[in-house]
Amino acid sequence: MVSVPASVDDTLSLLSRGRYVADRSLATAVYLSLSLHRPLFLEGEAGVGKTEIAKVLAETLGRRLIRLQCYEGLDIASAVYEWNYPRQMIEIRLAETGTAGRDSVEEEIFSDRFLIKRPLLQALEPELGGAPVLLIDELDRTDEPFEAYLLEVLSDFQITIPEIGTVKAAEPPIVVMTSNRTREIHDALKRRCFYYWVDYPTAERELEILRLKAPGAAEALSREVVSFVQKLRTMDLFKLPGVAETIDWAQALTQLDVLALTPEAINDTLGVLPKYQDDIAKIQGSEATKLLDQVRAEIAAAQ
């Protein structure tokens, strides 16, 4: 088991070992979350690397990653626990043929043996390699009642099961929550966390990310890709491309043996970047050529 970082610099090194390019402010938020055992709440646009932070922490710290993917209608049975009703019924039928009393049967079927543990309850269990990393992904997709349920979990790292009692973590899990901000998360939940807004990276940082995540792309192509995507993010699009789309595009162009952007290459692969037809129609053709000319001029001026 790898110990948690002892400083912000150590946290930067830890993230770097996981091939995650972070600035110092993000590393500070991660360090405080780890050292003070507080959940880390990451908000930002889709595709900017929020989920990846939890994956990198699990990998570099040698911890188990437990992921709860949120969605509308997520309930306790899917997120926390549920009883294994078929097995309970079998146990009741078997008990009816024997001499066991009703009270003893009820106590038996509502025991840990018949409990199906979901991600939140699993995260409170002890692990040989240290407390797991609990990723609660896209919390904004859930309903407000589920947020309210999380208050007990994130305040005291415990869950109350009426039939059994309170289950409390011996060692708090490392909790990372993400939100794409499709709706506001309640203040009561945010107050229990360290908050950080993960923004789109600068061109320099995005180029550094490409060198790590798409090492097969030519340096000149990577520069053009980053500059082109950065310009797209200044446009009035329905959905701006994230870092994930930049990486995908660089890898797709490399797979097609493209060494430098051309209007044809852009139009042929544009669906890797925007995922809405209206955005594609706004970019392709003359607009893509215009943006490419601007990209080439800026790169040439910088050299």
Side-chain angles (χ1 to χ4, degrees):
M1 180 181 69
V2 180
S3 58
V4 298
S7 66
V8 175
D9 289 332
D10 288 346
T11 306
L12 276 170
S13 299
L14 184 80
L15 295 173
S16 179
R17 288 200 300 273
R19 303 199 318 154
Y20 191 96
V21 181
D23 57 24
R24 192 171 183 83
S25 58
L26 174 57
T28 301
V30 173
Y31 166 68
L32 291 174
S33 172
L34 292 174
S35 58
L36 299 178
H37 303 293
R38 294 277 295 278
L40 179 63
F41 186 84
L42 302 173
E43 206 166 37
E45 299 294 337
V48 294
K50 304 183 298 296
T51 300
E52 191 68 17
I53 290 177
K55 295 179 179 179
V56 168
L57 288 177
E59 176 189 348
T60 53
L61 293 174
R63 309 294 182 94
R64 178 188 175 196
L65 176 64
I66 299 175
R67 180 171 183 168
L68 175 62
Q69 183 62 52
C70 298
Y71 54 87
E72 186 177 352
L74 180 65
D75 58 8
I76 293 176
S78 300
V80 191
Y81 73 92
E82 64 178 325
W83 292 106
N84 192 332
Y85 295 115
R87 284 193 60 192
Q88 287 177 321
M89 292 302 298
I90 293 173
E91 191 75 11
I92 291 172
R93 293 288 183 263
L94 291 174
E96 287 176 348
T97 64
T99 58
R102 178 177 177 179
D103 291 342
S104 62
V105 172
E106 183 176 343
E107 182 178 345
E108 175 64 20
I109 64 172
F110 288 109
S111 64
D112 191 74
R113 188 160 62 95
F114 295 91
L115 193 64
I116 300 175
K117 300 174 182 178
R118 301 304 187 193
L120 291 183
L121 187 55
Q122 292 174 18
L124 301 186
E125 295 185 316
E127 298 272 347
L128 291 177
V133 175
L134 172 62
L135 169 61
I136 304 176
D137 208 15
E138 297 184 322
L139 180 62
D140 53 317
R141 292 181 180 271
T142 62
D143 305 315
E144 290 188 6
F146 183 74
E147 277 188 53
Y149 183 84
L150 282 179
L151 294 179
E152 178 188 15
V153 181
L154 300 182
S155 294
D156 304 311
F157 294 106
Q158 67 179 31
I159 289 172
T160 301
I161 303 174
E163 298 86 350
I164 293 179
T166 300
V167 178
K168 187 175 178 65
E171 180 184 358
I174 298 169
V175 181
V176 178
M177 294 188 295
T178 73
S179 168
N180 295 335
R181 208 177 185 182
T182 58
R183 69 172 180 86
E184 286 294 332
I185 303 300
H186 199 278
D187 288 344
L189 191 61
K190 285 185 175 182
R191 284 200 303 269
R192 287 159 172 79
C193 310
F194 284 116
Y195 175 87
Y196 190 85
W197 174 265
V198 183
D199 208 347
Y200 293 114
T202 62
E204 293 76 13
R205 182 165 285 114
E206 194 161 18
L207 182 59
E208 189 177 350
I209 293 170
L210 266 195
R211 288 169 181 155
L212 285 173
K213 301 295 185 179
E219 179 69 16
L221 176 64
S222 295
R223 290 184 179 278
E224 289 180 343
V225 164
V226 167
S227 183
F228 192 90
V229 173
Q230 292 273 331
K231 286 193 173 300
L232 288 185
R233 292 187 187 132
T234 65
M235 296 179 62
D236 183 22
L237 301 178
F238 182 77
K239 176 67 180 70
L240 301 180
V243 181
E245 283 73 33
T246 306
I247 297 170
D248 288 345
W249 196 34
Q251 291 174 337
L253 292 167
T254 302
Q255 184 66 30
L256 295 172
D257 297 322
V258 175
L259 298 178
L261 286 181
T262 63
E264 295 77 16
I266 294 172
N267 289 325
D268 289 345
T269 59
L270 199 53
V272 179
L273 289 174
K275 302 297 167 63
Y276 292 90
Q277 177 56 31
D278 290 347
D279 289 344
I280 293 175
K282 187 179 293 187
I283 299 167
Q284 66 184 174
S286 59
E287 184 64 25
T289 303
K290 176 183 174 183
L291 291 174
L292 180 57
D293 290 341
Q294 294 175 3
V295 166
R296 288 172 174 170
E298 290 178 3
I299 293 177
Q303 291 177 343

